[in-house]
């Protein structure tokens, strides 16, 4: 009995303070994710009242926008790796310099995406589909989206860096405000209420724009007026980054940006493959994606909490404790994956009835929902490892290589062959497109076991 308890101690943290720390970060993130996915679901349901072409147009337009969102998440992740480790080491001055650097990158990237969305929206949508009605509706959506990039990018960075110092509540408060504003604005502008014109798909973009501006206002006011730990001042945006910090950003942070950018491109490649299979497939995938995200909110919470906590532990130099925390988070992710798969099956059948779609689309959606339930289990494991545990430990270069190999050598080619060449059932197409989740969930467990994933950021004296 004592021997079994000793083995368990190697893989399971018993300290109550650890779980309290986890819950302080996890609960606000889960609630924030539930609210965000509720907004996405209501967007899809409202636009779904306009038919398959409208669902496809907004879904494909958002695929391009999601490239920017994933880029921001990669930049934020790069910042979180460094900021959490420097915060764990007690170096707040360097945390502020990290914040300056990632905000500078996001502002430049947001400006580029805004110009492209405004000037060439039709050409962007044609990458995903050739159906003319979808192209025109999607282009209208993208033109409005051009105004969203900068405020949303800054908001994402602020909430994620604040999370790296242990405060996950800001994102929750912002999401509550966004939920209320987005639902109300969508209702008004999509359907033409309160004397406003009925803008259809473009109304959904207008609603999202208003919500993102509210988010930006909340984040900026909190950061500059209410936040008492970091005490950030925007004058740092005009400073050049410290050379040693920039070197550490390239070493530990840049691979995270590349990984998340590749994830965004992979998501776009999936949309291109499905888009060329027909708008019924795209509509079905949009519905499945909403349910998938609703069922995986706890996965996001565990990934974020593990990245922050392990990053701080590594920053403190407690490598053995970081290894045990990693195993604990992995065990939690397996349990959450099982629950998530059950939720997809349960929510999926209910959600399909919310949409006014053709019987053929219902059949496709049902098939893809079953595939999603299988995928979600493995998604939980690989997400906790790749986006949380190993990334928090600074193993970003290894994760980048894994993403390149398994996304672009396995998932995308297999999905393209299954969907566009062999014309397989949508169930098998979706499994092929997400085969990287299955492979990585096994591969990264061995990486965790090796202990080679811990890479501490170098200490420095900033300017």
């Amino acid at each position: 009995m004592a021997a079994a308890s000793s083995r368990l101690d190697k893989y399971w943290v018993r300290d109550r303070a650890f779980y309290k720390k986890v819950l302080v970060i996890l609960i606000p993130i889960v609630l924030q994710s539930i609210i965000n996915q509720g907004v996405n679901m209501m967007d899809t349901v409202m636009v779904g009242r306009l038919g398959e072409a409208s669902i496809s147009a907004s879904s494909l337009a958002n695929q391009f926008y999601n490239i920017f969102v994933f880029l921001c998440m990669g930049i934020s992740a790069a910042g979180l790796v460094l900021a959490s480790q420097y915060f764990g080491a007690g170096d707040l001055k360097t945390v502020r310099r990290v914040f300056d650097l990632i905000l500078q990158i996001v502002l430049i990237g947001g400006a580029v995406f805004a110009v492209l969305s405004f000037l060439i929206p039709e050409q962007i949508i044609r990458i995903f589909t050739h159906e003319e009605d979808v192209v025109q509706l999607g282009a209208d959506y993208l033109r409005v989206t051009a105004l969203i990039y900068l405020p949303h990018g800054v908001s994402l960075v602020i909430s994620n860096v604040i999370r790296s110092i242990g405060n996950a509540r800001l994102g929750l408060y912002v999401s509550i405000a966004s939920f209320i504003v987005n639902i109300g604005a969508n209702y008004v502008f999509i359907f033409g209420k309160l004397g406003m014109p009925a803008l259809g798909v473009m109304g959904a973009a207008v609603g999202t724009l208003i919500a993102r501006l509210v988010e930006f206002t909340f984040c900026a006011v909190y950061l500059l007026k209410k936040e008492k730990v970091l005490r950030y001042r925007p004058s740092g945006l005009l400073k050049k980054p410290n050379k040693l910090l920039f070197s550490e950003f390239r070493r530990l942070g840049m691979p995270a940006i590349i990984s998340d950018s590749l994830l965004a491109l992979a998501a776009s490649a999936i949309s291109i493959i499905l888009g060329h299979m027909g708008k019924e497939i795209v509509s079905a995938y949009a519905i499945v994606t909403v349910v998938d995200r609703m069922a995986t909110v706890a996965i996001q919470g565990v990934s974020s909490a593990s990245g922050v906590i392990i990053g701080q532990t590594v920053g403190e130099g407690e490598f053995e404790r970081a290894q045990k925390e990693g195993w604990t988070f992995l065990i939690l992710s397996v349990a959450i994956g099982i629950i998530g798969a059950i939720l997809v099956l349960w929510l999926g059948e209910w959600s399909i009835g919310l949409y006014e779609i053709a019987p053929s689309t219902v059949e496709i959606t049902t098939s893809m929902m079953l595939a999603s339930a299988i995928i979600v289990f493995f998604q939980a494991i690989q997400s906790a490892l790749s986006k949380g545990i190993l990334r928090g430990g600074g193993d970003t270069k290894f994760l980048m290589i894994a993403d390149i190999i398994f996304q672009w050598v396995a998932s995308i080619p297999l999905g393209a062959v299954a969907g566009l060449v062999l014309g397989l059932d949508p169930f098998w197409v979706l499994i092929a497109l997400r085969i990287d989740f299955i492979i990585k969930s096994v591969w990264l467990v061995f990486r965790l076991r090796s202990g080679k994933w811990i890479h501490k950021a170098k200490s420095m004296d900033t300017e």
Side-chain angles (χ1 to χ4, degrees):
M1 193 73 177
S5 178
S6 177
R7 284 196 299 271
L8 182 61
D9 285 340
K10 182 180 178 181
Y11 301 102
W12 187 257
V13 176
R14 296 180 184 270
D15 184 8
R16 289 185 178 181
F18 168 78
Y19 294 101
K20 183 178 179 180
K21 191 176 181 181
V22 170
L23 290 175
V24 166
I25 299 174
L26 185 146
I27 291 175
I29 293 173
V30 169
L31 293 175
Q32 177 187 354
S33 298
I34 290 172
I35 293 169
N36 286 340
Q37 299 315 320
V39 170
N40 291 338
M41 186 172 188
M42 290 305 298
D43 277 354
T44 306
V45 169
M46 287 183 179
V47 174
R49 298 290 177 181
L50 305 175
E52 274 99 343
S54 294
I55 297 178
S56 297
S58 61
S59 176
L60 295 177
N62 275 318
Q63 288 304 319
F64 181 73
Y65 183 80
N66 284 339
I67 295 175
F68 174 72
V69 172
F70 276 111
L71 176 62
C72 288
M73 296 305 292
I75 294 168
S76 297
L80 190 144
V81 170
L82 292 171
S84 60
Q85 289 200 21
Y86 285 119
F87 182 76
D91 188 353
L92 284 177
K93 188 175 182 180
T94 301
V95 175
R96 286 191 286 270
R97 298 290 76 79
V98 170
F99 200 4
D100 290 332
L101 176 59
I102 62 176
L103 273 175
Q104 289 168 343
I105 296 171
V106 164
L107 289 172
I108 294 170
V112 172
F113 273 83
V115 170
L116 292 175
S117 293
F118 187 77
L119 294 181
I120 55 170
E122 289 92 351
Q123 291 89 331
I124 291 171
I125 298 297
R126 288 187 195 281
I127 296 173
F128 299 96
T129 182
H130 297 302
E131 299 188 48
E132 197 60 34
D133 55 344
V134 176
V135 169
Q136 294 307 314
L137 290 170
D140 290 340
Y141 191 103
L142 268 184
R143 285 194 182 91
V144 178
T145 301
L147 303 173
I148 303 177
Y149 292 105
L150 288 175
H152 191 201
V154 172
S155 300
L156 282 172
V157 167
I158 291 175
S159 60
N160 278 295
V161 172
I162 293 299
R163 185 184 300 164
S164 73
I165 61 175
N167 183 352
R169 291 173 295 173
L170 174 62
L172 173 60
Y173 299 150
V174 167
S175 293
I176 292 172
S178 176
F179 177 82
I180 296 170
V181 172
N182 203 347
I183 295 300
N186 277 359
Y187 178 72
V188 169
F189 291 104
I190 291 175
F191 303 112
K193 304 298 181 179
L194 301 180
M196 295 295 178
L199 300 177
V201 172
M202 193 164 66
V206 172
T208 301
L209 170 61
I210 295 171
R212 297 310 185 197
L213 290 174
V214 170
E215 287 181 6
F216 172 77
T217 302
F218 263 71
C219 287
V221 170
Y222 178 86
L223 180 68
L224 300 178
K225 300 294 184 182
K226 300 293 183 181
E227 202 280 322
K228 301 301 182 184
V229 177
L230 192 59
R231 296 185 181 277
Y232 179 76
R233 291 293 176 264
S235 57
L237 290 173
L238 302 177
K239 297 180 180 178
K240 292 178 63 176
N242 177 286
K243 289 184 179 179
L244 181 55
L245 173 61
F246 194 70
S247 175
E248 284 301 277
F249 181 82
R250 287 200 310 269
R251 184 173 74 93
L252 299 180
M254 191 61 71
I257 296 176
I258 295 172
S259 287
D260 281 16
S261 297
L262 288 172
L263 183 62
L265 292 174
S268 295
I270 289 171
S271 294
I272 292 170
I273 293 168
L274 297 177
H276 285 82
M277 292 175 67
K279 60 186 174 187
E280 292 84 4
I281 298 285
V282 175
S283 297
Y285 184 63
I287 295 169
V288 170
T289 299
V290 170
V291 174
D292 176 282
R293 289 174 178 170
M294 288 292 289
T296 56
V297 291
I299 296 173
Q300 299 171 40
V302 168
S303 298
S304 297
S306 60
V308 171
I309 292 172
I310 287 178
Q312 292 178 2
T313 302
V314 171
E316 294 167 5
E318 298 287 342
F319 300 155
E320 186 175 338
R321 179 156 61 92
Q323 183 75 40
K324 183 187 288 190
E325 290 174 351
W327 284 116
T328 301
F329 279 117
L330 176 61
I331 294 168
L332 291 173
S333 73
V334 171
I336 289 171
I338 294 171
I339 296 170
I342 294 170
L343 283 174
V344 168
L345 294 175
W346 178 58
L347 290 173
E349 184 177 354
W350 165 78
S351 69
I352 293 173
L354 298 175
Y355 302 92
E356 294 183 3
I357 54 179
S360 59
T361 306
V362 171
E363 183 178 350
I364 294 169
T365 306
T366 302
S367 175
M368 296 180 80
M369 203 74 73
L370 179 58
S372 178
I374 297 171
I375 292 164
V376 159
F377 171 74
F378 294 100
Q379 180 183 349
I381 298 171
Q382 73 88 32
S383 180
L385 285 164
S386 64
K387 305 306 177 188
I389 299 165
L390 304 185
R391 180 174 281 183
D395 201 27
T396 52
K397 184 177 180 180
F398 180 88
L399 294 171
M400 176 188 70
I401 294 170
D403 283 339
I404 292 172
I405 293 173
F406 300 131
Q407 284 175 1
W408 295 97
V409 177
S411 290
I412 301 304
L414 284 175
V417 171
L420 301 179
V421 179
L422 301 179
L424 297 182
D425 184 90
F427 172 90
W428 292 111
V429 174
L430 192 55
I431 291 290
L433 287 168
R434 290 302 188 190
I435 198 72
D436 62 309
F437 285 176
I438 299 172
I439 299 172
K440 283 198 294 182
S441 66
V442 177
W443 180 269
L444 297 181
V445 169
F446 286 100
R447 182 64 174 182
L448 174 65
R449 184 181 180 182
S450 73
K452 297 177 181 179
W453 54 278
I454 297 175
H455 307 274
K456 185 179 178 182
K458 296 177 182 177
S459 60
M460 62 189 70
D461 293 320
T462 54
E463 295 171 349

